[in-house]
Amino acid sequence: NAGVTQTPKFRILKIGQSMTLQCTQDMNHNYMYWYRQDPGMGLKLIYYSVGAGITDKGEVPNGYNVSRSTTEDFPLRLELAAPSQTSVYFCASSYSGQGAGSTDTQYFGPGTRLTVL
Amino acid sequence: AQRVTQPEKLLSVFKGAPVELKCNYSYSGSPELFWYVQYSRQRLQLLLRHISRESIKGFTADLNKGETSFHLKKPFAQEEDSAMYYCAPQGGKLIFGQGTELSVKP
């Protein structure tokens, strides 16, 4: 199993550009998540999904969009990149999670380091 | 409001010394409690989960419901324990602490 994979590893964007961060998992997990990690701030949940076709906002959703057309894929879209979106982005998945009766271990991807100039 | 605090940004100890990484949380309901670790240039991974009561790499975590704390402990730190550690109470809302960087010096 590859687990959770993310592409790209690094990206530099100019202000106003858009891009999609890709995330795929092969563990047949229902739950998938996007986090951003800023220095000294821990991880903040951007969006999550409880299954194909169902997504919901996390703590810091502004400036981002997601979709979940399949169980395996959960892309994150930045429409108009801003310097405040410079961060490391992590995708994760789990069997159960936010809002469920129990919360399971999350499995993380390697991260995407994004810089917006 | 759901909140988790890891009061130490950086904890530096010598090899063989005991180590304790503190985690205090405020959470309505009964969250499940996790510690995740991120070694240099690696992805975050589970270190331990309270419900399983396992000891991983010599680490244990004590849950104190009265103080709402979930401190991570190891009696003898090793150099390979150097990493970022995140406390994560997880329930209706998933939250992570700010992280503590543990540096174990030779």
Side-chain angles (χ1 to χ4, degrees):
Chain A
N1 283 354
V4 180
T5 57
Q6 289 181 239
T7 57
K9 283 191 170 59
F10 305 94
R11 185 73 185 267
I12 297 175
L13 284 181
K14 294 183 179 177
I15 294 171
Q17 287 185 318
S18 59
M19 77 164 293
T20 299
L21 282 67
Q22 302 291 346
C23 174
T24 300
Q25 54 95 6
D26 62 359
M27 296 174 282
N28 204 32
H29 285 164
N30 289 324
Y31 283 73
M32 294 188 75
Y33 315 88
W34 275 105
Y35 293 93
R36 57 178 289 169
Q37 182 186 44
D38 300 311
M41 300 295 289
L43 279 78
K44 302 288 185 187
L45 184 64
I46 303 171
Y47 270 96
Y48 69 102
S49 169
V50 304
I54 307 170
T55 63
D56 206 349
K57 296 177 181 178
E59 190 179 354
V60 289
N62 291 344
Y64 308 94
N65 277 301
V66 294
S67 59
R68 183 101 180 266
S69 56
T70 67
T71 299
E72 295 79 20
D73 300 306
F74 190 42
L76 177 73
R77 178 90 179 153
L78 284 71
E79 289 294 348
L80 291 169
S84 60
Q85 293 178 305
T86 294
S87 188
V88 180
Y89 292 84
F90 288 99
C91 179
S93 71
S94 66
Y95 280 114
S96 66
Q98 176 141 324
S102 66
T103 307
D104 208 349
T105 301
Q106 292 180 61
Y107 295 84
F108 285 84
T112 295
R113 187 174 295 273
L114 176 67
T115 302
V116 182
L117 300 173
Chain B
Q2 328 287 36
R3 194 170 60 245
V4 55
T5 303
Q6 293 180 245
E8 304 115 340
K9 266 181 105 166
L10 173 63
L11 191 60
S12 186
V13 301
F14 286 101
K15 178 182 170 181
V19 64
E20 181 181 52
L21 286 77
K22 292 186 168 53
C23 172
N24 298 290
Y25 64 94
S26 171
Y27 207 102
S28 59
S30 298
E32 295 195 40
L33 294 152
F34 299 79
W35 276 96
Y36 285 88
V37 61
Q38 186 177 25
Y39 300 104
S40 179
R41 301 186 190 283
Q42 294 188 28
R43 64 186 72 193
L44 275 93
Q45 59 186 286
L46 177 70
L47 178 64
L48 63 80
R49 180 179 175 182
H50 175 253
I51 196 170
S52 66
R53 300 195 182 276
E54 292 177 4
S55 172
I56 309 296
K57 299 188 178 185
F59 284 96
T60 58
D62 295 329
L63 173 60
N64 186 322
K65 285 191 176 179
E67 293 179 2
T68 55
S69 66
F70 190 52
H71 303 328
L72 184 70
K73 298 178 181 178
K74 185 169 183 176
F76 307 103
Q78 303 299 315
E79 289 179 69
E80 56 265 29
D81 295 329
S82 296
M84 281 291 292
Y85 292 80
Y86 294 95
C87 178
Q90 315 258 284
K93 185 174 177 183
L94 305 182
I95 57 174
F96 284 79
Q98 303 93 323
T100 296
E101 181 180 354
L102 175 63
S103 174
V104 182
K105 298 181 192 269

